[in-house]
Amino acid sequence: DGGITQSPKYLFRKEGQNVTLSCEQNLNHDAMYWYRQDPGQGLRLIYYSQIVNDFQKGDIAEGYSVSREKKESFPLTVTSAQKNPTAFYLCASSSGTSGVADTQYFGPGTRLTVL
Amino acid sequence: QQPVQSPQAVILREGEDAVINCSSSKALYSVHWYRQKHGEAPVFLMILLKGGEQKGHEKISASFNEKKQQSSLYLTASQLSYSGTYFCGTGPAGGYQKVTFGTGTKLQVIP
């Protein structure tokens, strides 16, 4: 079955540590996205990538980094510079052919808690 | 800038109807609707495009008023399974833009 996988589902880290969240898709999609979700604030875009080896900052990129070395993978690193990293992180992908008319499909999410 | 959704929350009894509104300050090309259950991924419901037809299935449909930069999601004869948080995502017109999501409308359907 085609889809998006994120791992792990729950992640606990100590303050000051970097942590990498995994996102893999087998939908053959060109575009991939990372969102952060906090209670009452909806989905906020962290980074997005339209093609391999290229990515752009979203609305809240500070304290995060990404890479896109393979079409199917778009890992997100939450660095120690991120002041409030505890949140629910969602990865999404879309075909990338129609810009804002593309449907985005979401992974199951990773809940990160920084202690 | 995030689109504004209203209401923020609503409680319905099974069988009742609901309307969720999404409003943007920008000219829009697309509006996306998703439903999210607590702790799960948002699930795609439908997308509406500028100049396109009103979309929908039997009991969930949506409209897109391009001039007013607004969209509405209509839930008819609600079922318990409709409970969740509904998000709209708006895609501005002009050039390559990003979809921006609203803060969500929490819908609870009770027996």
Side-chain angles (χ1 to χ4, degrees):
Chain A
D1 286 339
I4 303 174
T5 57
Q6 292 185 243
S7 60
K9 189 169 176 65
Y10 298 96
L11 190 55
F12 296 89
R13 278 294 182 269
K14 291 184 179 179
E15 197 172 337
Q17 289 182 334
N18 290 358
V19 60
T20 298
L21 280 59
S22 167
C23 177
E24 304 275 333
Q25 55 98 0
N26 61 4
L27 299 167
N28 200 32
H29 284 169
D30 283 319
M32 297 187 74
Y33 312 81
W34 273 106
Y35 292 92
R36 171 181 172 140
Q37 188 172 32
D38 296 283
Q41 295 200 44
L43 304 170
R44 293 186 291 168
L45 184 64
I46 305 172
Y47 269 97
Y48 63 103
S49 168
Q50 295 171 252
I51 200 165
V52 175
N53 292 323
D54 188 44
F55 48 84
Q56 289 79 39
K57 293 181 179 180
D59 300 317
I60 56 166
E62 186 175 348
Y64 300 97
S65 66
V66 293
S67 64
R68 186 87 187 276
E69 296 176 2
K70 298 187 294 182
K71 186 175 183 176
E72 56 272 19
S73 178
F74 191 39
L76 173 75
T77 296
V78 184
T79 75
S80 56
Q82 168 50 232
K83 293 187 187 330
N84 186 17
T86 294
F88 188 47
Y89 290 88
L90 286 160
C91 178
S93 72
S94 68
S95 65
T97 57
S98 304
V100 295
D102 278 343
T103 297
Q104 294 185 28
Y105 297 93
F106 286 84
T110 292
R111 188 166 297 278
L112 173 65
T113 302
V114 175
L115 307 171
Chain B
Q1 192 170 0
Q2 281 182 301
V4 176
Q5 289 186 233
S6 63
Q8 289 185 319
V10 59
I11 299 175
L12 298 175
R13 291 202 177 273
E14 266 187 298
E16 290 182 337
D17 301 340
V19 180
I20 299 172
N21 299 303
C22 176
S23 178
S24 175
S25 59
K26 297 182 178 182
L28 299 177
Y29 182 76
S30 67
V31 180
H32 309 237
W33 285 99
Y34 289 81
R35 177 172 60 214
Q36 185 182 30
K37 305 275 185 179
H38 183 69
E40 298 180 7
V43 173
F44 173 72
L45 294 175
M46 63 188 75
I47 182 172
L48 300 101
L49 302 180
K50 182 179 178 179
E53 298 177 358
Q54 180 168 331
K55 297 277 190 176
H57 302 284
E58 191 176 313
K59 294 183 178 179
I60 299 178
S61 62
S63 63
F64 180 17
N65 187 323
E66 298 158 25
K67 288 184 179 178
K68 292 187 176 181
Q69 297 155 192
Q70 294 174 345
S71 177
S72 295
L73 185 71
Y74 306 96
L75 302 160
T76 305
S78 58
Q79 306 167 10
L80 294 176
S81 61
Y82 287 5
S83 294
T85 300
Y86 290 78
F87 291 98
C88 70
T90 52
Y96 183 83
Q97 302 277 354
K98 307 184 302 290
V99 173
T100 303
F101 288 90
T103 54
T105 294
K106 189 170 182 179
L107 179 79
Q108 184 180 3
V109 181
I110 58 176

